[in-house]
Amino acid sequence: MRLLVVIPAYNEQESLPAVMADLAATCPEYDVLVVNDGSTDGTAALCRERGYPLLDLPVNLGLAGAFQAGLRYAASHEYDAAVQFDADGQHLARYIQPLAAKLGEGYDIVIGSRFVGKKRPFTARMLGSRLITAVMRLTTGTKILDPTSGMRCLDRAMIQSFAQNLNWPPEPDTISYLLRCGARVCEVPVEIAERQAGTSYLTLYKSLVYMAQITISMLVIQWFRKNEWKKGGRL
Amino acid sequence: MTSGIPIAMRALLILGSVGTGAFILGRIRSSKVQIRDSIFWILFSALLLFLSIFPGAAIWAAEQLGVESPVNFVFLFIIFILLVQLFSCNLRISQLDAKVRALTQKIALDENERKEDKKENP
């Protein structure tokens, strides 16, 4: 299986070397692509200096746009699978293989879940995660324990669709929409590390707006969307 | 029921709300708008619907603010919301403008670099 690890990076020059070293040591068989999302620090220069495979976006597009750029690359280079992987050191390379193995069992999307067989801590952010799980279960009948996990593995057809479509950001409402379209999604337990450097850009206000957006999208908008996902619909 | 909002006004609000909602959902269906940009209009049409079904809310708010007629409060409220939306649209356009400028310059610089490369090693 040819698998591409897509690493969207915005101002991650501090943590990127450790992430790349982890990947090179743990799973050298997978290809890696750093998508520099218009960073203002030395992320791009660091990649060139150390020879990391780099897709350098000249302006900042945000996580969804950067990840999509990586998927366009994966689609045009005909990869069988792509994994979304954080540049801040929270994701661990040793969990990529289990994700890929599960995908090989015939799933379309495999989510690296922090909470399979575990209790979610009672923090504000986890309250949001619980709410999304509940709404998703209500509208799709499927229970996804870690819908906001940023570690996801997509198969070939999904790579094509995510690369092309306007309203398929890598967010829980897209997962929910795809479940309703008949996609096979499952979770594999993973552990995550504390972030190596930098701070999360999720402020309280942004989190609230995000929650409102995702919930409205899942509760209201989803019922009106067309099924744009067809199995094997390669373009 | 005695209501401070005339029935025709309420009908208009319902029409506006349903129309807005239907239009934006149609745009999403045909992939012409991003979902995050449609959220405002979904909420806005829900609000119009709320005001037309429960005019009591507008009457109460008008009394609190000393606005003489509840209909005027509805106008004021909608104008305020649209102003906020206009402001955020303006910010978005400003950012987009900066990005288009950066992209255009980048393309021109890259093109220039390629031509110079060709001249140096033909």
Side-chain angles (χ1 to χ4, degrees):
Chain A
M1 182 191 275
R2 284 183 70 229
L3 183 146
L4 180 71
V5 181
V6 178
I7 309 178
Y10 178 63
N11 293 348
E12 298 284 7
Q13 63 174 6
E14 307 298 329
S15 52
L16 202 53
V19 172
M20 296 300 285
D22 181 28
L23 284 162
T26 316
C27 46
E29 69 271 30
Y30 299 138
D31 292 345
V32 176
L33 179 72
V34 178
V35 183
N36 172 40
D37 189 14
S39 297
T40 49
D41 70 351
T43 301
L46 177 92
C47 291
R48 288 202 190 90
E49 184 190 312
R50 305 210 177 186
Y52 303 153
L54 172 69
L55 199 58
D56 193 17
L57 306 183
V59 297
N60 177 263
L61 292 182
L63 177 67
F67 181 55
Q68 195 178 35
L71 290 181
R72 277 181 193 265
Y73 177 93
S76 68
H77 291 75
E78 301 191 327
Y79 279 93
D80 301 313
V83 170
Q84 182 186 352
F85 202 80
D86 277 6
D88 62 10
Q90 289 192 311
H91 291 164
L92 302 171
R94 67 171 182 270
Y95 292 110
I96 295 178
Q97 200 278 328
L99 289 185
K102 197 78 185 172
L103 198 76
E105 290 175 19
Y107 288 97
D108 303 302
I109 299 178
V110 180
I111 300 170
S113 172
R114 292 162 286 179
F115 312 124
V116 168
K118 265 189 223 150
K119 281 255 173 236
R120 267 175 276 198
F122 271 98
T123 60
R125 190 176 296 179
M126 285 310 114
L127 217 63
S129 167
R130 276 164 196 275
L131 178 66
I132 293 174
T133 297
V135 172
M136 204 182 285
R137 195 177 188 183
L138 188 75
T139 55
T140 68
T142 307
K143 192 171 183 184
I144 299 288
L145 284 163
D146 194 0
T148 56
S149 165
M151 195 176 181
R152 304 182 183 91
C153 187
L154 311 177
D155 81 341
R156 192 190 254 262
M158 278 295 169
I159 292 174
Q160 292 278 359
S161 301
F162 269 82
Q164 305 271 348
N165 283 311
L166 175 79
N167 270 322
W168 292 38
E171 301 291 356
D173 62 329
T174 306
I175 302 288
S176 172
Y177 162 70
L178 288 172
L179 280 168
R180 282 181 39 80
C181 289
R184 282 153 300 175
V185 181
C186 78
E187 289 182 288
V188 161
V190 300
E191 282 164 32
I192 62 160
E194 292 295 312
R195 38 186 311 126
Q196 306 277 315
T199 49
S200 172
Y201 64 93
L202 271 180
T203 60
L204 180 67
Y205 172 74
K206 273 190 182 166
S207 307
L208 287 177
V209 170
Y210 174 83
M211 282 302 302
Q213 237 176 60
I214 298 293
T215 326
I216 291 172
S217 174
M218 289 198 298
L219 277 178
V220 184
I221 295 172
Q222 209 169 95
W223 309 101
F224 300 94
R225 289 175 74 178
K226 271 190 242 174
N227 189 339
E228 284 164 358
W229 180 75
K230 294 174 194 86
K231 186 63 194 159
R234 281 169 205 165
L235 302 160
Chain B
M1 190 171 80
T2 54
S3 130
I5 297 186
I7 200 79
M9 184 69 188
R10 289 170 66 180
L12 197 68
L13 281 175
I14 291 178
L15 224 70
S17 141
V18 172
T20 311
F23 181 75
I24 199 76
L25 288 170
R27 298 266 95 182
I28 293 173
R29 254 185 96 72
S30 52
S31 289
K32 291 282 190 290
V33 68
Q34 291 187 51
I35 286 176
R36 61 178 193 145
D37 295 320
S38 71
I39 300 291
F40 168 82
W41 296 106
I42 301 279
L43 289 176
F44 184 70
S45 64
L47 182 86
L48 289 191
L49 200 63
F50 175 81
L51 281 178
S52 54
I53 296 172
F54 304 104
I59 297 165
W60 179 82
E63 267 171 25
Q64 299 302 308
L65 291 171
V67 178
E68 220 159 87
S69 139
V71 174
N72 280 351
F73 169 77
V74 172
F75 290 154
L76 179 74
F77 194 47
I78 291 176
I79 288 172
F80 175 72
I81 291 170
L82 291 180
L83 270 182
V84 172
Q85 175 68 354
L86 179 64
F87 179 69
S88 79
C89 269
N90 204 334
L91 291 186
R92 278 280 289 284
I93 291 173
S94 181
Q95 285 167 355
L96 280 175
D97 185 58
K99 281 183 185 174
V100 170
R101 206 175 335 145
L103 281 174
T104 313
Q105 290 159 352
K106 170 106 174 100
I107 291 171
L109 286 166
D110 284 358
E111 192 82 356
N112 181 270
E113 214 167 278
R114 241 187 6 200
K115 273 184 192 150
E116 278 173 10
D117 272 358
K118 254 190 202 162
K119 256 185 223 161
E120 278 164 26
N121 0 273

